[in-house]
Amino acid sequence: MASLSTTGYGTHRSECQNFPWVQHESFHNLECEGQEVVPRIHAKMEKGFFLSPDRSWTCYRRNYFSVTCSFELTPHIGNGRLCLNGQRVQAMGMKLTAAVDGQTGKGVELIQHTPKRDRGPKNAIPIIKISPTPPNGRPAESTLSPHGVYHVPMSSFHATGVPTGPHLPFQNARDDSQLPMPGQNIQHTFERVQFKSATANNGKRRASQQYFHLMVELWVDVREDETRKPKWVKIACAISDKVVVRGRSPSHYKAENQGGGSSSTGRGGSTGGYGGSSGGYGGMSRGSFSGAGYATGPGNTGGFRASQQYQSATSPEQGYSSSTGSSVAEIVDVKHPIEAEPSHDEDSAMQDFAGYQYIPTTLYDGTSVQGKGESPNSTAGGGQTVDKKVSIWDEYPEALPGTQWSMGNCNRFQGVESSRGYYPAFSTTGF
DNA sequence: TTCGACACATATTG
DNA sequence: CCAATATGTGTCGA
């Protein structure tokens, strides 16, 4: 009876981190001493997104989401000079952007808030200088293999100690009023990001649902040596799966799906958690065995009340504690993505049934199903969208044909996608 | 109907 | 335990 539907603000990282980044496109290849160098982008959704009942990645326009990104060059460049069409690469950086799905490919504005939120300025996302991930570095992600196996990288190099990498003259220059980030960053987390607007027709109408796509772009600065101003050129970008950006209160949506109107707290109410879905990878971790609620760990057994505590008694977990400041690329995060988290997230229960039907009563039962609610044709929305791949469930989306749409910036070849994450593989998708 | 801004509530952190 | 900060979300008004 909706007794304690807990607040569980969804957004557990475990969920978002499975956010699929299908598609990696390169516009230009770099070269070093005549040798071709292919960049590979890594991106990881840190928080903010969740999988809606119909298996569409969703987020609320009003909530923050974070994306960590990094990139590596293949082959790795020791200390050589990189060139882009003959122009010397002075620095490299990344930026997060978004575009509307569809043939139009209109750009969508993303904004970043300061922890002050309204009181502070809302800025567009700038290009943040980031250095390529060294061979033994730790990319933003690539820790989780498609099978849930967890690679333990030898994270033993000095984060700040400039690792071997290409020689980028202006990589440390603060031209763009960039954050005073000292030293080089191997990755950066764009935090407190929000979509400036929501997708049209958020499932509230029969009209087709509009989708957005997040894009992590890799840019290189090819300015003239004397120039003070950087001249950025986008050379590649990683595109995410389509996403729905809801613009209204979570509770508004929740009510429809679970009817669990649990006004736990007097006002804010934060109705049930929308953190459904345990996340891809076959949820081999928590859901598997009991799902219901007792996961290993916290004494919270059975108690869903756990709101959103991350407990994580399992491992050092995500070491990054962003918090203040824009937490400029915390290169030191030693996270153990392993899902061992005791997170008995409310997910196991609700998410599943959510994917299928809602069991007004004991939602705890549905858990056993945990794992996948295939039925590919999930009619994710209006269907007008050009693609209909929805099987991101059991498998890993890495090999998905990828969505199809042509966006203004990145377009064309989209299939290019073979190995996307896991650094040991340098297969650059032929580009 | 959607979006911005304000206000209030809860979570987290120190 | 409390205060300050950070973030989620209800709501109203444009």
Side-chain angles (χ1 to χ4, degrees):
Chain A
M1 42 154 60
S3 43
L4 18 63
S5 55
T6 83
T7 58
Y9 292 95
T11 22
H12 287 212
R13 31 180 116 314
S14 35
E15 169 105 342
C16 323
Q17 297 188 356
N18 295 322
F19 186 79
W21 291 89
V22 243
Q23 289 200 238
H24 186 298
E25 302 181 12
S26 296
F27 306 114
H28 304 287
N29 275 339
L30 302 170
E31 28 178 74
C32 174
E33 315 295 336
Q35 183 180 199
E36 187 177 63
V37 177
V38 181
R40 150 103 110 269
I41 295 173
H42 289 286
K44 184 171 69 175
M45 180 61 65
E46 293 290 345
K47 63 166 292 205
F49 281 71
F50 61 95
L51 217 38
S52 66
D54 64 333
R55 298 176 214 61
S56 292
W57 282 95
T58 310
C59 75
Y60 286 96
R61 177 188 132 244
R62 296 176 55 192
N63 294 0
Y64 295 153
F65 67 85
S66 307
V67 177
T68 294
C69 48
S70 62
F71 70 93
E72 64 182 295
L73 299 177
T74 306
H76 175 254
I77 303 303
N79 200 338
R81 288 185 272 288
L82 278 174
C83 290
L84 198 228
N85 296 327
Q87 302 171 84
R88 176 68 178 288
V89 172
Q90 308 285 187
M92 300 183 81
M94 298 182 86
K95 182 175 143 185
L96 182 65
T97 62
V100 184
D101 158 332
Q103 297 65 7
T104 42
K106 300 174 297 276
V108 175
E109 288 181 81
L110 292 179
I111 55 176
Q112 277 189 299
H113 278 73
T114 60
K116 302 282 176 246
R117 196 153 51 169
D118 288 341
R119 325 191 62 129
K122 304 181 239 290
N123 309 303
I125 296 183
I127 291 177
I128 299 293
K129 286 180 179 173
I130 303 177
S131 296
T133 306
N136 63 338
R138 292 175 100 306
E141 54 162 351
S142 71
T143 13
L144 257 189
S145 80
H147 308 302
V149 182
Y150 167 53
H151 301 282
V152 176
M154 39 212 147
S155 54
S156 47
F157 87 103
H158 273 229
T160 33
V162 183
T164 52
H167 187 227
L168 302 170
F170 288 76
Q171 188 67 2
N172 295 307
R174 284 89 62 51
D175 13 67
D176 290 317
S177 70
Q178 296 244 320
L179 309 173
M181 48 175 81
Q184 298 192 53
N185 301 296
I186 264 52
Q187 67 171 75
H188 176 76
T189 298
F190 290 95
E191 296 187 80
R192 286 183 279 278
V193 186
Q194 293 185 308
F195 279 91
K196 189 92 177 266
S197 55
T199 47
N201 312 316
N202 282 310
K204 287 300 189 185
R205 255 194 173 41
R206 310 72 168 72
S208 30
Q209 168 67 55
Q210 178 184 57
Y211 294 98
F212 287 174
H213 288 270
L214 275 171
M215 297 185 287
V216 173
E217 311 172 327
L218 210 209
W219 298 65
V220 296
D221 176 7
V222 293
R223 81 229 279 183
E224 311 301 316
D225 286 303
E226 303 76 34
T227 313
R228 277 276 90 160
K229 302 163 197 47
K231 186 193 298 181
W232 295 102
V233 176
K234 180 165 67 178
I235 62 171
C237 82
I239 306 169
S240 78
D241 192 0
K242 62 176 191 272
V243 301
V244 171
V245 180
R246 307 212 280 214
R248 252 16 222 183
S249 309
S251 59
H252 202 247
Y253 290 90
K254 294 296 86 175
E256 298 178 34
N257 298 318
Q258 357 223 311
S262 63
S263 50
S264 49
T265 43
R267 199 196 175 183
S270 63
T271 324
Y274 37 84
S277 61
S278 60
Y281 305 137
M284 30 84 72
S285 309
R286 15 117 139 84
S288 302
F289 54 107
S290 55
Y294 8 103
T296 43
N300 270 324
T301 325
F304 288 94
R305 219 314 75 72
S307 22
Q308 70 218 56
Q309 42 195 347
Y310 310 164
Q311 303 260 233
S312 63
T314 338
S315 53
E317 75 209 313
Q318 54 297 261
Y320 91 108
S321 56
S322 43
S323 69
T324 36
S326 44
S327 68
V328 191
E330 315 285 2
I331 345 182
V332 219
D333 64 309
V334 221
K335 55 193 58 177
H336 274 211
I338 191 70
E339 290 302 353
E341 290 185 68
S343 65
H344 46 283
D345 312 324
E346 57 289 278
D347 61 356
S348 351
M350 32 203 325
Q351 128 229 120
D352 273 321
F353 81 80
Y356 279 98
Q357 67 250 327
Y358 37 95
I359 305 160
T361 34
T362 23
L363 16 161
Y364 313 86
D365 284 326
T367 51
S368 29
V369 204
Q370 151 62 198
K372 52 289 308 283
E374 48 285 295
S375 325
N377 54 22
S378 64
T379 51
Q384 165 185 277
T385 333
V386 213
D387 78 293
K388 63 272 304 243
K389 57 103 182 292
V390 207
S391 37
I392 356 176
W393 275 94
D394 330 289
E395 315 295 88
Y396 189 64
E398 62 177 4
L400 278 176
T403 28
Q404 187 92 152
W405 15 256
S406 35
M407 6 191 59
N409 315 316
C410 327
N411 47 11
R412 282 10 184 265
F413 33 85
Q414 72 285 22
V416 226
E417 177 55 38
S418 38
S419 48
R420 80 167 199 62
Y422 339 125
Y423 49 30
F426 291 122
S427 35
T428 73
T429 73
F431 267 87

